[in-house]
Amino acid sequence: MSVSPRTNEYGQPIGEALADWSPRPLPNADRIAGRTCTLERLDPARHAESLVAAHAEAPDGRDWTYLPVGPFASAADRRAWLETAAASEDPRHYAVLDATGEAVGALALMRHDPANGAIEVGHVTFSPRMQRTVASTEAQFLLMRYVFDELGYRRYEWKCDTLNAPSMKAAARLGFTYEGTFRQAVVYKGRSRDTAWFSITDSEWPDRRAEFERWLDPANFDGDGVQRTRLAHGM
């Protein structure tokens, strides 16, 4: 049954009232621990060597095609960019540490909008050691849980080049809802980008969280670490 929207004194439809709303805190966590991985605020002194080594295992530069930076001509260039990224508050970059404590990837919270309770995940750079692992999913979950459950944000965004098929697929798998495409939204690396927008809202989060927790449960994996059932958000 449809519910009529609220109206003001002029009979115009208006949005849901948020009488108790207040701006959310900016992200400030330095460490977010999980079962198969841990997120740590990017620190080149601790993370650069292992990140450079992990990414060096890639056979070519295709992992950087749809990112605003990279591929890097040398390990020194990569380290220089990590120094710049670590000094940034927005984006706020996190290294992803595997179960051995080695940094094998990174991602960031960016476009912080505490007044409206919106924030975006981006700069996702997972090395070959991390791609298609349980940790790659758990890292995303840990950041979502921090944003919704600890900071109390209303909206969590994912944006990507519409030509980046793996990123489009990942957004759907992780429970994001496609909202539309901003045509000719960005110029990067000398080319035009149409940007696809995705989001998860706070009203959707409890169901998403429950599905992540079900999938991440060790009981969902056999003795070889192969999933018994897929992550399914009812998309």
Side-chain angles (χ1 to χ4, degrees):
M1 183 177 65
S2 62
V3 179
S4 299
R6 295 192 318 133
T7 57
N8 63 12
E9 64 268 34
Y10 310 113
Q12 297 168 306
I14 57 175
E16 175 189 358
L18 297 174
D20 297 327
W21 173 255
S22 61
R24 300 292 84 198
L26 287 167
N28 61 6
D30 290 327
R31 189 174 188 274
I32 307 171
R35 182 177 68 85
T36 65
C37 67
T38 297
L39 310 184
E40 285 188 354
R41 181 75 188 277
L42 181 62
D43 180 351
R46 297 203 311 273
H47 306 134
E49 183 175 353
S50 55
L51 279 174
V52 170
H55 281 286
E57 295 176 6
D60 53 40
R62 70 184 60 205
D63 289 341
W64 302 93
T65 297
Y66 299 108
L67 291 164
V69 299
F72 299 93
S74 67
D77 288 345
R78 172 71 168 136
R79 289 189 180 91
W81 186 83
L82 289 171
E83 293 282 353
T84 299
S88 169
E89 287 295 333
D90 185 359
R92 185 180 181 89
H93 293 266
Y94 289 91
V96 184
L97 280 58
D98 65 13
T100 71
E102 290 292 303
V104 292
L107 72 176
L109 289 174
M110 56 190 288
R111 302 187 187 278
H112 308 162
D113 184 0
N116 295 300
I119 201 163
E120 178 182 345
V121 59
H123 289 279
V124 180
T125 53
F126 291 170
S127 75
R129 296 183 197 175
M130 188 176 174
Q131 293 168 9
R132 293 174 293 280
T133 66
V134 176
S136 69
T137 298
E138 187 175 25
Q140 297 283 359
F141 167 67
L142 291 175
L143 214 52
M144 290 182 198
R145 188 178 64 183
Y146 171 62
V147 164
F148 283 118
D149 292 351
E150 295 191 37
L151 299 181
Y153 276 63
R154 304 175 63 231
R155 175 179 170 84
Y156 191 73
E157 298 177 340
W158 175 294
K159 303 186 183 82
C160 64
D161 192 316
T162 56
L163 299 176
N164 186 353
S167 186
M168 298 278 283
K169 183 178 180 180
R173 176 181 176 272
L174 293 170
F176 287 85
T177 297
Y178 172 68
E179 297 181 323
T181 294
F182 281 35
R183 298 177 300 163
Q184 297 185 188
V186 175
V187 176
Y188 74 138
K189 294 183 174 177
R191 59 182 189 256
S192 179
R193 182 177 103 166
D194 292 351
T195 298
W197 284 52
F198 298 82
S199 75
I200 297 173
T201 64
D202 57 352
S203 63
E204 298 167 333
W205 171 241
D207 287 342
R208 302 294 194 270
R209 179 182 58 213
E211 176 59 12
F212 276 114
E213 290 171 345
R214 181 204 65 78
W215 187 85
L216 288 165
D217 190 308
N220 187 44
F221 299 90
D222 66 20
D224 296 320
V226 177
Q227 66 180 358
R228 300 183 189 276
T229 60
R230 295 178 179 274
L231 187 66
H233 287 288
M235 301 293 291

